[in-house]
Amino acid sequence: MLTSPVFAQADQLTNSQLLATTPYAIAVGAVLFGAATTFLAIMQRQASQRAARSANIQVMELSAALDEKENILNGMSEITVIWRDPAATPSIVGPVRQVIETHISDQMVLDFESWLTAQSAIEVKFKLADLLAQGTEFEFGANGSADQRFRVCGKLVAGSPVLRIARRIAEEETPYVLPSASKSQLDIETCARLFDKLNHPAWVRDVRGKLVKVNQAYFELLGIPQENRTGTIPELFDSAALLRLREVGQVEGSHSVTEQHQKFGTLDVTKFKLINGTAGYAVQGLASNEEKNDPRASFLTAAINELRTPVAVFDGSAQLTHYNKSFADFWELDTNWLDTHPNEKAILDRLRTQGHLPLEPDYKKWRSTHLSSYGLKKTREDMWHLPSGQVLNVIASPAPNARGVIYVYHNVTEKLALESRYNALIHVQEETLNSLREAVAVFGTDGRLKLHNTQLSGIWKVPLNLLNKQTHISDIVEMCDRSLPKDGREIWADLKSFIIDISPERSNKTGRISRADGRLIDYAVVRLPDGQTLVTFVDVTESAAYERVLKERNEALETADKLKDAFVQNVSYEFRSPLTNIIGFADLLTAGEAGQLNEKQKSYADYIRASSATLVLLIDNILDVTTIDAGIAELNTEVLDVAELVEKAAAGVVATLQVSQDDVPVNLSISVSKNLPTFVADGARIVQVLYNLLSNAVRYSEPGSKVSLDVTERAGRILFVVEDEGEGIPEDMISSIFDRFEGRAVAGRQRGAGLGLSIVKTFAHMHGGTVSIEQREPKGTRVIVNLPAEQVSQGAAE
């Protein structure tokens, strides 16, 4: 049965069907495979975009958090100096001027002599050198030059040396003791490098007492010139003094002694021991003595002399012991008298006599109150307003060990003036911002609101008391979510992503926000030079509505104007056909083609012809106005015969004068110069100009009066002058006589349509010419058309 013809035929049919359907199956499979691949690619792209947006948001949030932490670090009452690269300049973070009151610039933090006592400056330099070289950490108390106390700490953080400086509070202050040489581990080389920075004579000796290194101040004290500072170093002290100093230098720690030098007078000498020798330095003119032997007092004069702020020190009996040059210069006091150590009461009396002290009604009481400083237990500050206009902040601090008072006189005149101007500017700025219609907000790099006005609260319905300089943009997003629950969060989330954008290629942005409550807000995001971002908002809901209404009204007016132009043009053309018939039949009647007319009939026919001619002129004027308004008016220029143009215009006017037998026509006088240059213009337009001028003059002239047309040449231009003897034009109408629909009103005569002179002006301007009108004496009007002889068309004028 399998080999029968029937089964063979079926088998052949099945194979042919399979062969026929195989291409379709392959095509369908390819389409399905392509669709699946495309779907997977789209899903993968969407996942990548979501991941990119999430990463961008995380980067912006991390940047804001980093800025916030940096601001917190800057807000701490501590200075941090970081050496990320030992060969590079260290980074200084923290409020320098708040921690170090006598400080001037950030870079002077490492100039320790400018704000620390001499001993403390040396100690910090020694320990900092060990930290940088060997990583030796330290922490100790240091004395400031303005009777301040500091806590100085040196550590290694993440492998980088870090120096931290902070003010010490009263509870943690302890008497300062200079650490011993064995603890500081100072050697000759380190000490020699540090002594080069001192302004006082300093030296380093080896274990045998031999001078191995001195600084430049040492040579300058001895008066040794630069070229002789080589070879053997001369001694500053004699043998007896060296013996006493050698005995002091063998003791652990730092000690100060007073030596009387034969040449330089009193020298206060400080000695301390090194690992492999001794070191010391001398200060001239100190009042310390061996009995008190206070190392802090021994450096007082050296420290205050480096200050530009006036400083004076009085002992317990109110006698002046120390002062600096700034003190003497500021108060204009003789240094020879100050060196006699006068009493503070005597100094005050002298300053009052010289007119330097504040003008107090009860001077004795004021002086008594001031001298109570000797009983102080803590620092006191007073503000002195001097007669010179300067303001002093007088700081009175008790001297160590109840030895008197230290006065520091800070001149705060400029500071107070700057504060006053700053406060005034801030007040003006606030008033200006609050008077603006726009809402203004300035965001810092940390995303916090730095500046804003009251309009910001009104536009976004956020309570004004919740907006301050600590408000973060995320807080504003939450506020707007509560005040505008439909779309407030979404709007400010989009603004946030752009405001805190840290991309260096970011740019300004403007746009319009359509809120769910129907308000339209225009916004602008502007990048400021200091990295901050300015955002402005304007509520344009009402103005946008007005703009929409005006736009619709303008479109309606434009449409109406187009319809008007189309109507006028079509109607004007439709008028021509019946007018042509009227004029034709009137000519036939006048010529006697339909039979002879009597005088009355002929008069009626003349009336018909004249009125038809006037109507034709009016229609032509309307068509000209329409083409001019449509911007399609053009000039067909050619070389013209001026006399022929004038004759055509005059003939048209004469035709309109034939109104009746009883009327006497005006006396029309034509004069054309024979030496006219070649005139290139549009002949039809020029004839129309002359016809309008002549017909206008005839219309407003009395019967029998003269109307003249003179054509002359002047400087390559052709002048057409039309004069009449009518009533003239009132002064108040001369400026508007060439406007459309303006015309003269003369008693007993019909007012014109007001288009003739307007067309005259337009065609004159199209030829590059001008037209003017003036009154004649005793009466009459003169119109002058000034046209170039060969100038090409200039286009339609307004």
Side-chain angles (χ1 to χ4, degrees):
M1 293 177 63
L2 295 174
T3 59
S4 65
V6 175
F7 286 102
Q9 184 177 3
D11 190 23
Q12 292 176 358
L13 181 60
T14 303
N15 292 335
S16 62
Q17 290 176 346
L18 289 175
L19 292 174
T21 57
T22 297
Y24 296 102
I26 294 174
V28 171
V31 170
L32 293 176
F33 178 76
T37 305
T38 304
F39 177 75
L40 292 176
I42 293 174
M43 295 295 294
Q44 183 65 27
R45 181 180 179 183
Q46 292 178 347
S48 301
Q49 291 177 346
R50 288 194 298 270
R53 287 195 296 268
S54 177
N56 189 28
I57 293 175
Q58 290 179 358
V59 170
M60 290 187 290
E61 291 178 350
L62 288 174
S63 176
L66 180 61
D67 293 337
E68 184 175 5
K69 289 178 174 55
E70 184 175 351
N71 289 336
I72 293 175
L73 185 60
N74 283 324
M76 300 289 290
S77 298
E78 183 177 282
I79 304 172
T80 304
V81 185
I82 306 172
W83 281 266
R84 295 184 176 88
D85 183 1
T89 303
S91 301
I92 301 175
V93 183
V96 175
R97 291 169 179 80
Q98 180 180 345
V99 177
I100 306 175
E101 295 181 355
T102 60
H103 205 55
I104 299 177
S105 64
D106 293 354
Q107 297 303 321
M108 289 185 64
V109 170
L110 300 179
D111 185 9
F112 300 111
E113 287 88 352
S114 64
W115 55 278
L116 290 176
T117 62
Q119 279 188 332
S120 296
I122 293 174
E123 182 69 12
V124 172
K125 288 184 178 180
F126 286 163
K127 290 187 175 296
L128 183 58
D130 288 342
L131 174 66
L132 297 175
Q134 304 175 10
T136 305
E137 298 184 351
F138 63 89
E139 182 175 0
F140 71 100
N143 297 327
S145 58
D147 199 28
Q148 297 173 319
R149 303 291 185 270
F150 299 96
R151 178 174 57 83
V152 184
C153 175
K155 291 185 178 182
L156 289 178
V157 179
S160 298
V162 176
L163 181 67
R164 298 170 57 192
I165 304 168
R167 291 283 295 275
R168 298 180 63 182
I169 60 176
E171 289 76 5
E172 66 179 8
E173 287 187 357
T174 56
Y176 175 80
V177 178
L178 188 66
S180 63
S182 60
K183 293 181 181 179
S184 62
Q185 297 296 312
L186 299 177
D187 56 14
I188 289 179
E189 294 299 326
T190 303
C191 188
R193 288 196 302 270
L194 294 176
F195 273 4
D196 285 335
K197 306 293 184 180
L198 287 180
N199 296 325
H200 305 291
W203 59 88
V204 179
R205 300 178 185 272
D206 58 17
V207 293
R208 294 174 296 179
K210 180 181 178 182
L211 284 173
V212 295
K213 176 67 176 179
V214 296
N215 64 357
Q216 298 298 324
Y218 186 95
F219 289 114
E220 292 173 359
L221 179 65
L222 293 177
I224 300 175
Q226 186 71 35
E227 59 273 10
N228 296 334
R229 295 178 184 179
T230 57
T232 304
I233 303 174
E235 284 286 355
L236 177 62
F237 304 100
D238 55 23
S239 56
L242 288 174
L243 182 59
R244 290 192 298 271
L245 294 175
R246 187 176 295 112
E247 293 176 356
V248 174
Q250 300 303 320
V251 183
E252 294 288 342
S254 174
H255 299 272
S256 295
V257 295
T258 302
E259 286 290 339
Q260 295 296 327
H261 196 281
Q262 183 178 3
K263 180 178 180 182
F264 305 114
T266 303
L267 295 179
D268 199 346
V269 182
T270 299
K271 293 276 305 266
F272 50 90
K273 188 176 181 181
L274 305 175
I275 298 175
N276 50 355
T278 60
Y281 59 92
V283 179
Q284 288 182 278
L286 290 181
S288 61
N289 52 65
E290 293 184 5
E291 295 179 356
K292 295 180 180 179
N293 195 25
D294 187 352
R296 286 173 293 184
S298 66
F299 290 97
L300 189 55
T301 299
I304 65 177
N305 276 331
E306 300 297 328
L307 298 177
R308 285 180 285 184
T309 302
V311 177
V313 181
F314 295 86
D315 60 16
S317 60
Q319 297 295 127
L320 179 66
T321 59
H322 303 82
Y323 69 92
N324 61 359
K325 185 175 183 297
S326 298
F327 175 82
D329 293 341
F330 181 81
W331 293 114
E332 299 178 0
L333 295 174
D334 185 7
T335 56
N336 294 326
W337 180 68
L338 292 175
D339 290 339
T340 63
H341 308 295
N343 187 278
E344 185 180 6
K345 180 180 178 181
I347 295 177
L348 292 175
D349 291 342
R350 175 170 290 198
L351 292 178
R352 180 172 181 265
T353 302
Q354 295 176 353
H356 293 332
L357 291 182
L359 300 176
E360 295 290 339
D362 191 346
Y363 168 71
K364 291 184 178 181
K365 181 179 179 181
W366 176 86
R367 184 183 62 185
S368 177
T369 303
H370 173 72
L371 293 178
S372 64
S373 304
Y374 292 92
L376 293 176
K377 300 299 182 182
K378 60 180 181 179
T379 301
R380 183 185 71 186
E381 295 186 17
D382 294 319
M383 201 70 70
W384 289 8
H385 296 270
L386 306 183
S388 62
Q390 299 184 83
V391 181
L392 292 182
N393 182 26
V394 181
I395 303 174
S397 300
N401 301 325
R403 294 177 56 189
V405 180
I406 301 176
Y407 290 105
V408 180
Y409 306 87
H410 283 291
N411 192 339
V412 295
T413 308
E414 184 176 354
K415 178 182 177 182
L416 293 178
L418 289 175
E419 289 180 355
S420 177
R421 290 196 293 270
Y422 175 77
N423 293 332
L425 288 175
I426 290 298
H427 178 71
V428 172
Q429 183 188 64
E430 291 177 352
E431 293 296 327
T432 303
L433 289 179
N434 288 330
S435 64
L436 293 177
R437 175 171 170 262
E438 297 86 352
V440 178
V442 177
F443 292 91
T445 55
D446 58 352
R448 295 194 179 275
L449 187 63
K450 303 300 182 182
L451 185 67
H452 69 281
N453 61 355
T454 56
Q455 281 72 16
L456 183 66
S457 171
I459 288 182
W460 294 105
K461 302 179 181 180
V462 175
L464 187 60
N465 60 338
L466 297 181
L467 298 175
N468 53 58
K469 292 185 178 180
Q470 297 303 319
T471 304
H472 197 272
I473 190 172
S474 301
D475 301 330
I476 298 179
V477 174
E478 298 298 330
M479 296 177 193
C480 290
D481 185 31
R482 293 190 293 269
S483 61
L484 302 169
K486 293 184 179 180
D487 57 353
R489 173 181 288 275
E490 180 182 355
I491 292 173
W492 271 93
D494 293 339
L495 291 174
K496 175 184 176 181
S497 63
F498 196 77
I499 291 173
I500 64 175
D501 185 8
I502 61 175
S503 173
E505 298 179 356
R506 61 183 185 173
S507 59
N508 299 335
K509 183 179 181 181
T510 58
R512 174 168 291 182
I513 299 171
S514 180
R515 291 198 326 214
D517 59 358
R519 309 303 294 179
L520 296 177
I521 310 297
D522 280 353
Y523 72 91
V525 182
V526 181
R527 307 300 179 186
L528 300 180
D530 57 356
Q532 300 188 106
T533 304
L534 170 67
V535 188
T536 61
F537 303 96
V538 183
D539 190 337
V540 295
T541 307
E542 287 76 13
S543 60
Y546 294 149
E547 180 182 354
R548 184 171 58 256
V549 171
L550 292 175
K551 184 177 180 181
E552 293 174 353
R553 181 172 296 179
N554 183 64
E555 291 175 352
L557 291 175
E558 289 179 353
T559 302
D561 188 62
K562 292 178 180 178
L563 291 175
K564 181 263 297 181
D565 291 342
F567 172 77
V568 171
Q569 190 170 10
N570 290 333
V571 169
S572 299
Y573 278 114
E574 291 297 329
F575 280 168
R576 283 185 174 274
S577 296
L579 274 177
T580 302
N581 294 333
I582 293 173
I583 295 173
F585 285 121
D587 289 340
L588 290 175
L589 290 175
T590 304
E593 295 293 336
Q596 294 296 323
L597 302 178
N598 57 33
E599 292 299 326
K600 191 171 186 178
Q601 290 172 338
K602 187 176 181 181
S603 175
Y604 289 162
D606 290 337
Y607 273 119
I608 294 173
R609 293 176 59 201
S611 298
S612 300
T614 302
L615 187 57
V616 169
L617 174 63
L618 181 59
I619 292 174
D620 289 340
N621 288 341
I622 293 175
L623 289 175
D624 288 335
V625 170
T626 303
T627 57
I628 290 171
D629 289 343
I632 58 176
E634 296 180 354
L635 298 181
N636 298 319
T637 59
E638 58 182 342
V639 178
L640 302 175
D641 185 349
V642 178
E644 183 179 349
L645 298 176
V646 172
E647 182 180 352
K648 289 182 180 180
V653 174
V654 169
T656 61
L657 295 178
Q658 306 299 325
V659 292
S660 69
Q661 295 178 348
D662 298 330
D663 289 336
V664 179
V666 297
N667 182 13
L668 182 60
S669 174
I670 305 295
S671 175
V672 180
S673 177
K674 295 182 179 180
N675 298 322
L676 295 177
T678 302
F679 186 42
V680 178
D682 187 328
R685 302 301 189 188
I686 298 300
V687 170
Q688 190 173 358
V689 166
L690 298 178
Y691 176 81
N692 285 345
L693 291 177
L694 291 173
S695 62
N696 186 74
V698 169
R699 183 183 300 115
Y700 297 104
S701 297
E702 296 295 331
S705 63
K706 180 181 178 181
V707 174
S708 64
L709 169 60
D710 296 329
V711 184
T712 59
E713 182 268 341
R714 181 188 299 170
R717 299 177 70 88
I718 298 179
L719 273 62
F720 299 88
V721 182
V722 178
E723 297 180 339
D724 62 58
E725 298 177 348
E727 294 297 327
I729 303 174
E731 290 290 342
D732 56 346
M733 292 185 59
I734 290 181
S735 60
S736 60
I737 195 66
F738 289 105
D739 296 340
R740 293 182 184 178
F741 311 113
E742 293 289 340
R744 289 184 286 173
V746 180
R749 294 185 179 272
Q750 184 180 2
R751 179 187 178 102
L755 293 177
L757 292 181
S758 174
I759 293 177
V760 168
K761 178 181 177 181
T762 301
F763 287 159
H765 287 180
M766 290 178 65
H767 282 83
T770 61
V771 57
S772 61
I773 190 168
E774 57 189 35
Q775 291 191 8
R776 296 178 59 197
E777 295 296 338
K779 65 176 183 177
T781 305
R782 178 184 295 110
V783 180
I784 303 173
V785 178
N786 187 331
L787 300 177
E790 299 183 1
Q791 187 165 346
V792 184
S793 170
Q794 300 296 313
E798 296 181 357

